[in-house]
Amino acid sequence: MFRKPKFKCFVLCVCLFSVSLCFLSFAFFPSSMLTATRPTDAVANTSDFRRLRSDGQQVSSHEERRLSGRRFVFRIEPKMVLSVVACGDRLNDTLVLVKSAVAFTSSPLKVVVVADDNLIPGFSQEFGNWPAEIRNRVNISIRPLEFPGDGRADEWKNLFKICASQRLFFPSLLHDVDATLYVDTDVIFLRPVDDIWRFFGQMNSSHLAAMAPENEDFATGWYNRFAQHPFYKPLGVNSGVMLMNLTRIRAFDWERQLVSIYKKYKQKITWGDQDLLNIFFHKHSNKLLVYPCEWNYRTDHCMYGSVCKSAEKNGVSIVHGSRNAFHGNKQPTFRILFETFQKYVLGRDLRTHLWEPLRRNLQQTAHTNCGKMYQIFLKAFDNFA
């Protein structure tokens, strides 16, 4: 006759424990970190998301609850956000870029593609054809272009390369994003996104962004020889691969300052939005972290001889095919690298179907200046594999 009270007490304890867990889950995951979606949504199928708490421990990203008789999935948004702007004929380049990032990155990743209206259907179709395992860990967001409503939208859109200046307005456009890695469409990853994302941890309390130098050699540097405007010293910075702390940038009145810089220097700039960023960080040099050239490796680093020492030591981490290096015959090493990634089928074994073909193909360019050092394009990849 004493079993029933004990049983009731046990049930009560279980209920109290469950309520406590619910309370703690919302304490650890504030509403700004949770997204409610129907299970039928593609993003709701994402499994195995992980997030590091302040104590360094990983916590589960999924909690299933029944609200008003309907099942919702609450999930943590991926910590890493990769952003790119695509217009004109940049569909294929962007697809290869995203493929390279996703192929090497096993951590949860959000990819934001800001695109021309006519490119959006193509992106939607291609991303929808990804293997289920890839779609389950990568969150794709495709957004339309959005320039300031100051009467200069077309002027901004066509500043230097079409749509390139869109990222200057990411603080407003990506209002729901805390930090992002912006890359140009002519970029290929040779290492996981996680590796460059770690530079956020090296930023001090003043840094807004991080970029690589425009050049390593004073004798061939463009800004130090030709620029008619201020630039980040000593050789300028290249904006094709750029970490952006959007929360800090918003607080610094970034967009207003860049618009003001454009009005003042628009007759003197050559490289569009990159020049504007150089002028901005010339004035606010303490706001920029500069990382090594291996994270933005271009033909400038090899076509007249090797000048990127960090790539010689660690291997190339990110390739930037600026000045159309991925296409045509002027830079066969860069073209072959692009074509090999283009042929790779996402989800297949990296060593068998990407690393081995890439090694064979790059050896064919050993007669060129960049091809002489083709091993540096494989070094980081080999260490990763």
Side-chain angles (χ1 to χ4, degrees), residues 23 54 69 78 116 119 165 167 174 214 238 253 275 297 335 349 355 370 380:
F23 174 79
S54 58
D116 257 342
L119 294 184
S165 66
R167 51 78 177 275
L174 307 184
E214 167 63 22
N238 185 283
D253 201 18
D275 286 349
Y297 192 89
R335 175 178 54 81
D349 179 71
W355 188 90
C370 291

Side-chain angles (χ1 to χ4, degrees), residues 94 109 200 214 230 241 247 263 278 283-284 348:
T94 307
L109 178 66
F200 276 119
E214 167 63 22
V241 180
T247 299
K263 291 178 180 178
N278 267 278
K283 181 179 180 181
H284 305 289
R348 289 187 176 180

Side-chain angles (χ1 to χ4, degrees), residues 29-289:
F29 305 116
S31 58
S32 62
M33 298 168 63
L34 297 172
T35 302
T37 60
R38 293 188 185 185
T40 53
D41 292 342
V43 72
N45 292 329
T46 305
S47 62
D48 197 32
F49 273 90
R50 293 289 185 264
R51 184 180 179 89
L52 290 178
R53 288 200 309 243
S54 58
D55 59 3
Q57 298 298 311
Q58 287 189 330
V59 294
S60 173
S61 65
H62 270 129
E63 285 189 42
E64 294 189 9
R65 304 182 185 279
R66 293 188 178 276
L67 299 178
S68 302
R70 298 169 63 187
R71 186 165 71 92
F72 288 78
V73 176
F74 287 87
R75 66 168 180 78
I76 303 298
E77 288 291 339
K79 179 180 65 172
M80 297 186 301
V81 181
L82 174 67
S83 302
V84 61
V85 179
C87 289
D89 60 355
R90 293 294 181 169
L91 175 65
N92 288 332
D93 283 16
T94 307
L95 291 172
V96 173
L97 150 68
V98 176
K99 182 197 296 185
S100 70
V102 170
F104 288 112
T105 306
S106 58
S107 303
L109 178 66
K110 180 172 184 176
V111 179
V112 178
V113 179
V114 182
D116 257 342
D117 288 344
N118 63 313
L119 294 184
I120 290 177
F123 282 123
S124 299
Q125 180 178 352
E126 291 295 328
F127 293 144
N129 291 333
W130 278 0
E133 184 274 329
I134 302 295
R135 287 185 281 114
N136 284 344
R137 64 178 171 83
V138 179
N139 181 343
I140 296 288
S141 174
I142 306 174
R143 309 189 186 192
L145 299 168
E146 185 177 319
F147 289 95
D150 58 359
R152 293 191 178 92
D154 289 338
E155 191 174 344
W156 282 112
K157 183 177 180 179
N158 294 290
L159 180 65
F160 189 49
K161 291 183 179 179
I162 186 170
C163 300
S165 66
Q166 175 70 91
R167 51 78 177 275
L168 300 179
F169 306 102
F170 272 6
S172 295
L173 180 63
L174 307 184
H175 57 85
D176 55 338
V177 176
D178 173 61
T180 190
L181 168 61
Y182 165 84
V183 291
D184 285 348
T185 56
D186 51 0
V187 159
I188 289 178
F189 285 79
L190 297 179
R191 289 174 67 169
V193 176
D194 312 61
D195 292 350
I196 189 170
W197 194 267
R198 292 189 182 99
F199 281 102
F200 276 119
Q202 297 186 25
M203 290 184 176
N204 63 31
S205 58
S206 298
H207 289 143
L208 305 178
M211 288 182 275
E214 167 63 22
N215 207 286
E216 303 292 316
D217 182 10
F218 280 91
T220 58
W222 192 91
Y223 281 106
N224 61 299
R225 294 187 298 157
F226 303 117
Q228 300 180 38
H229 55 76
F231 59 91
Y232 185 86
K233 298 299 176 67
L235 292 166
V237 285
N238 185 283
S239 60
V241 180
M242 180 179 180
L243 290 170
M244 305 175 71
N245 186 322
L246 295 176
T247 299
R248 291 182 183 177
I249 287 173
R250 292 184 194 100
F252 200 67
D253 201 18
W254 163 281
E255 293 182 12
R256 184 194 63 79
Q257 292 190 60
L258 285 172
V259 170
S260 177
I261 288 171
Y262 174 68
K263 291 178 180 178
K264 182 176 180 178
Y265 290 101
K266 66 178 181 178
Q267 300 301 327
K268 296 183 178 182
I269 59 176
T270 302
W271 307 112
D273 54 312
Q274 178 172 292
D275 286 349
L276 298 182
L277 290 169
N278 267 278
I279 297 169
F280 178 90
F281 286 112
H282 169 83
K283 181 179 180 181
H284 305 289
S285 58
N286 66 319
K287 303 295 183 184
L288 182 68
L289 174 69

